[in-house]
Amino acid sequence: MKAIWNGAVLAESDATIVIEGNHYFPAAAIRSEHFKPSATHTVCGWKGTASYYTIEVDGKQNPDAAWYYPEPKDAAKEITGYVAFWKGVKVEG
């Protein structure tokens, strides 16, 4: 699977985990030069508190377009540190 935005591959992996229709990419699959920490956090009832990244490619930013669960609840332990995408990031495989 690949996550692509603004012509750049943000992440690529054969080992994504699919939850609720979203592909979660392992941390090692992320091209970190495109990820800037965000102050945004949201809470999912069964996964826990999500943190976000703003994606940056060629000077363009896509705020909060990637999220992850640094310390998910027990029901979602398998996605600890994995990253998922939305807001126009194309995930294809």
Side-chain angles (χ1 to χ4, degrees):
M1 297 301 296
K2 289 183 183 179
I4 302 167
W5 183 74
N6 199 32
V9 176
L10 307 174
E12 186 171 4
S13 177
D14 292 330
T16 62
I17 297 172
V18 180
I19 295 179
E20 297 178 329
N22 295 303
H23 282 267
Y24 284 78
F25 289 78
I30 302 302
R31 300 208 173 137
S32 60
E33 66 270 19
H34 299 300
F35 293 74
K36 311 294 178 206
S38 166
T40 302
H41 298 282
T42 58
V43 177
C44 169
W46 72 273
K47 290 187 294 260
T49 301
S51 296
Y52 288 78
Y53 291 113
T54 291
I55 303 299
E56 187 173 302
V57 175
D58 294 333
K60 292 185 180 179
Q61 291 192 343
N62 189 345
D64 301 334
W67 76 90
Y68 65 102
Y69 292 88
E71 296 179 12
K73 292 183 176 183
D74 287 344
K77 283 289 184 204
E78 67 181 335
I79 59 166
T80 302
Y82 278 56
V83 179
F85 300 92
W86 66 329
K87 291 191 170 184
V89 175
K90 188 174 183 180
V91 176
E92 59 187 26

